[in-house]
Amino acid sequence: MTHRPVMRAAVFGVLVLAGCASAPELPPDDDVPTAPQRQAAGVEGFEQRVRERALQSGRQGQLAEAATSWEILTVLRPDSREYRDRLYETQQLINQAAADRMQRGALALKRGELDAATSQYLAVLALAPDNAQAADALRGIERERNKRNYLGKASRITLARRPVNDARMAASPDRNTLEHATLLAGQGELDDAISLLERQLAADRRNVAACQLLAEVYVQKAEKLAPRDKPGAIASLEKSLRLDASNARAAERLRQLKGGNGATLTAVAAREGCNGPR
Amino acid sequence: MRCNATRLIGGSVLAAMLAGCATPPADPPHDKARPGTTPPATGEVLGRSDRFVIYKPEPEDTLRSIAARFLGSEDRYWAIGDFNNISRVDPGQPVVVPLKAPNPMGVHADRVQTVPILCYHRFGHGGGKMVVSPANFAQQLDWLARNDYHVIRLADLAAYLKGEQALPRRSVVITIDDGYESVYRHALPLLRKHGFPATVFVYTDFIGAGEALSWPQLQELVASGLVDIQAHSKSHRNLIERAAGETDAQYAQGLEAEARTPRELIERRLPVHVRHYAYPFGDANDQVLDVLSRQQYQLAVTVNPGGNPFFAQPLMLRRTMIFGDHDLEAFKSKLQISRAVSVP
């Protein structure tokens, strides 16, 4: 068996410097049989399997896996020059590939492409799990994502649009129902949210917060129904406006769907609305 | 950039090769002998470095006995199982014992580890989607136990998020919001049956109310050693909403109270440190995060769905809602323990 670590490393280096998108793969090795062999038992079988895995991982560009396998073989056979050389050359490849990925990640981040940057930094960590710089970059990206997508965004559109003005709500167990209905609606479970709020209103018809939230969930349901069930969407918007006539978005949407105006709804809302004698 | 191959990966790397390329069965027999009863491993060490031991098991060896000998605690048996992708050892077939977590952040070429945090509210019969029946909860816990899931404490996530501590590949956290009495009546006995930990987030204005847990019940939950009591605010108000006419100063003062009051009250009444918070309605903003940091909170949970990778923001952890009408298949589909990675 011959060993050509320097030459092999040079070949891999060319692949890396050529800017290959994925991690460079180890070239086929003429010295090692690649066909599946009968699985041997005991220590010899273990060594054979680890060795095959190392070669296969290298060929597939899974360099970290390959390096771990070579490292384990150096632990098993500390006197083996071949295993040490293989580990060394895989390590060199990893260093080059990880540096390349770090650079690509930084460029993507500079362009504001968070998904692309995430992929590159994860690729760095797949190669080098102790790369603190890549780990910190990923944490920073996640903070930015949270800032963009979640922080400061109310789960209840109604109450974000309008300040809370129901003093009873401030410390009432009704909040459990409001929260649960909000969570259900947030997960797309609109009928369950409606059912929960209707039960709440049946028990306490003066619960303004539940009423307003129900009105909002009816709007969400209308939006969901509109593409496939226009009459259903209209009915849902009408229910919403009966509870909360001040919802301009619902009124506008109803006008769009009906092709007319919703003037008659205002009178209904005045009798049945969340702030009226329900 | 420093990059050293001797610090490289692991995880389930050796999977196929050590397990003879066999896919583990859905319900594998595993090595979970009763803790503390495992005889020490006595097999041969075939090789050793500062990172790995290669060990040839004897017939009486288990993952636990090997972990006890090399990792200092039999409870760390999962580290050997995960690394070798096995659920039990075969006598004479060498296994690799990783002495240091080779990949504590769980990032692999094709996937990244994520930890699902399950979110329950109430237990009982009827009452809609937010109420999980005791039978369903029992079925879910049984399934987790049978399938070698590790129900970990929420606190265990802190070191994982810093990249300091690996977690079992199949890790999951159980949380229960609000503080309903049904936690005591229905959930505690089932958690006890499996020895599974859980975090109960209570809002302190609710304690002792009609359907809520009482202080003596909370004390008993803590005494079980399984249930951690943490904060879900004082009043359950949505922290990013302002009351009508509320000034900036009043709003800031209100946020302080929603963070400080439950921490102080719970710590005064129960032998716990309150460092974790569940946002009412799942909502937070920058100001809320600042307040929680000042009030010594280390982890906080939202209801944004999904599992948590190591780079999750500690005060913005994702959670997965478990609803009352989930059958076991729906429950299983919620357990996101990894996220696919596609590298361009």
Side-chain angles (χ1 to χ4, degrees):
Chain A
M1 188 179 295
T2 57
H3 307 301
R4 303 177 296 272
V6 175
M7 195 175 87
R8 291 165 59 87
V11 172
F12 311 148
V14 169
L15 288 173
V16 172
L17 295 174
C20 51
S22 58
E25 299 174 2
L26 288 164
D29 190 323
D30 297 335
D31 302 332
V32 182
T34 54
Q37 298 178 348
R38 199 173 70 81
Q39 188 177 310
V43 179
E44 289 73 25
F46 171 81
E47 181 175 4
Q48 182 185 325
R49 288 194 295 279
V50 177
R51 181 185 169 82
E52 284 172 4
R53 177 67 179 175
L55 292 166
Q56 188 186 16
S57 297
R59 282 193 297 271
Q60 292 172 346
Q62 296 175 351
L63 297 180
E65 286 80 354
T68 296
S69 296
W70 291 123
E71 185 183 350
I72 287 164
L73 289 168
T74 65
V75 176
L76 185 69
R77 306 280 183 223
D79 297 331
S80 168
R81 170 88 186 272
E82 183 210 350
Y83 292 156
R84 285 202 307 275
D85 288 347
R86 296 280 196 167
L87 175 59
Y88 176 78
E89 71 186 32
T90 307
Q91 185 180 351
Q92 298 307 306
L93 281 177
I94 285 171
N95 289 343
Q96 294 173 59
D100 177 57
R101 293 285 184 191
M102 281 300 293
Q103 212 167 24
R104 288 165 188 251
L107 283 174
L109 203 53
K110 205 172 175 181
R111 291 193 297 266
E113 297 168 359
L114 298 188
D115 289 346
T118 297
S119 296
Q120 296 296 344
Y121 289 125
L122 284 172
V124 172
L125 287 169
L127 289 162
D130 66 345
N131 189 311
Q133 208 182 338
D136 283 343
L138 284 165
R139 292 186 182 103
I141 290 170
E142 186 71 358
R143 281 195 298 275
E144 181 59 30
R145 278 209 181 95
N146 284 332
K147 198 178 273 286
R148 287 184 190 181
N149 299 333
Y150 298 113
L151 282 175
K153 295 201 166 56
S155 51
R156 281 188 296 163
I157 299 165
T158 300
L159 296 181
R161 185 163 49 81
R162 201 167 33 212
V164 181
N165 56 8
D166 181 2
R168 288 167 55 242
M169 202 176 107
S172 158
D174 293 349
R175 273 203 178 278
N176 293 9
T177 302
L178 293 176
E179 189 206 44
H180 295 180
T182 302
L183 298 181
L184 285 166
Q187 306 272 324
E189 307 284 353
L190 299 180
D191 288 336
D192 292 282
I194 288 169
S195 167
L196 190 58
L197 290 165
E198 285 179 342
R199 279 206 306 275
Q200 181 69 33
L201 281 174
D204 177 7
R205 299 187 66 79
R206 292 181 305 165
N207 189 327
V208 175
C211 182
Q212 289 177 344
L213 181 55
L214 179 58
E216 184 56 38
V217 179
Y218 277 135
V219 176
Q220 289 181 29
K221 186 175 178 185
E223 294 295 354
K224 193 175 172 183
L225 288 174
R228 58 185 166 80
D229 179 8
K230 194 169 162 185
I234 288 171
S236 194
L237 286 168
E238 286 176 342
K239 283 182 184 175
S240 174
L241 286 164
R242 281 194 194 97
L243 296 171
D244 182 5
S246 67
N247 189 332
R249 187 167 65 93
E252 177 55 30
R253 192 74 175 108
L254 183 61
R255 267 191 288 276
Q256 285 173 3
L257 289 174
K258 290 181 92 168
N261 65 63
T264 55
L265 290 168
T266 308
V268 175
R271 287 200 312 275
E272 302 181 15
C274 294
N275 294 309
R278 302 187 68 252
Chain B
M1 182 192 60
R2 189 174 68 83
C3 185
N4 183 344
T6 60
R7 297 257 172 238
L8 296 174
I9 64 136
S12 58
V13 178
L14 294 184
M17 68 181 157
L18 297 178
C21 301
T23 307
D27 271 349
H30 41 75
D31 249 7
K32 286 206 268 186
R34 187 182 295 277
T37 60
T38 311
T42 56
E44 182 187 356
V45 172
L46 302 173
R48 183 171 195 141
S49 70
D50 63 334
R51 298 220 316 146
F52 298 110
V53 166
I54 303 171
Y55 176 74
K56 189 176 172 187
E58 291 291 308
E60 64 275 12
D61 276 338
T62 64
L63 290 175
R64 281 188 175 278
S65 70
I66 299 170
R69 176 170 167 186
F70 296 107
L71 301 180
S73 166
E74 63 180 272
D75 290 338
R76 299 207 57 224
Y77 72 96
W78 56 267
I80 305 168
D82 281 359
F83 190 82
N84 295 273
N85 202 27
I86 54 175
S87 53
R88 61 185 170 80
V89 291
D90 289 328
Q93 289 293 325
V95 293
V96 178
V97 181
L99 299 176
K100 297 171 185 169
N103 189 359
M105 294 181 244
V107 183
H108 303 273
D110 59 345
R111 68 190 187 284
V112 55
Q113 179 181 10
T114 59
V115 179
I117 303 176
L118 308 182
C119 174
Y120 295 86
H121 282 78
R122 302 179 72 168
F123 301 93
H125 305 281
K129 234 174 177 150
M130 301 300 282
V131 184
V132 174
S133 74
N136 274 8
F137 190 53
Q139 195 182 26
Q140 290 162 7
L141 298 191
D142 288 344
W143 189 85
L144 291 174
R146 273 202 320 277
N147 288 277
D148 209 20
Y149 274 80
H150 294 251
V151 179
I152 61 171
R153 294 174 190 276
L154 182 61
D156 293 336
L157 280 180
Y160 167 72
L161 295 173
K162 290 177 188 164
E164 295 171 353
Q165 176 67 54
L167 290 176
R169 188 172 45 189
R170 295 181 180 207
S171 291
V172 59
V173 176
I174 294 174
T175 66
I176 308 166
D177 279 10
D178 296 342
Y180 284 99
E181 185 268 348
S182 62
V183 175
Y184 176 83
R185 189 157 20 118
H186 297 303
L188 179 61
L190 295 168
L191 293 168
R192 269 198 171 120
K193 175 185 168 191
H194 292 287
F196 285 167
T199 295
V200 174
F201 288 108
V202 297
Y203 69 98
T204 46
D205 283 358
F206 190 43
I207 297 171
E211 295 178 300
L213 288 159
S214 64
W215 284 109
Q217 286 171 330
L218 286 165
Q219 281 160 359
E220 204 171 320
L221 287 170
V222 173
S224 74
L226 295 173
V227 179
D228 191 17
I229 305 297
Q230 297 289 317
H232 188 31
S233 79
K234 173 186 178 295
S235 72
H236 215 202
R237 69 174 282 191
N238 189 323
L239 302 182
I240 70 170
E241 290 175 359
R242 295 197 179 211
E246 194 174 37
T247 65
D248 287 351
Q250 287 167 333
Y251 175 65
Q253 220 169 14
L255 290 186
E256 289 287 338
E258 296 288 353
R260 190 187 63 248
T261 305
R263 178 172 59 74
E264 290 179 348
L265 183 57
I266 294 169
E267 289 184 345
R268 196 163 63 238
R269 300 290 298 262
L270 302 170
V272 298
H273 290 294
V274 177
R275 297 290 180 271
H276 309 154
Y277 199 92
Y279 301 112
F281 297 82
D283 291 339
N285 58 25
D286 281 324
Q287 200 170 344
V288 172
L289 298 193
D290 286 345
V291 169
L292 288 197
S293 295
R294 275 204 306 279
Q295 291 291 332
Q296 305 170 39
Y297 288 97
Q298 294 167 349
L299 303 174
V301 293
T302 67
V303 289
N304 305 327
N308 294 280
F310 82 88
F311 53 85
Q313 193 173 351
L315 293 182
M316 286 293 287
L317 296 175
R318 295 168 183 271
R319 280 198 299 176
T320 303
M321 302 273 290
I322 303 299
F323 292 132
D325 60 352
H326 278 162
D327 61 15
L328 196 54
E329 288 306 311
F331 174 77
K332 284 149 73 172
S333 73
K334 297 268 186 173
L335 298 169
Q336 190 186 8
I337 56 170
S338 68
R339 186 191 295 173
V341 171
S342 64
V343 178

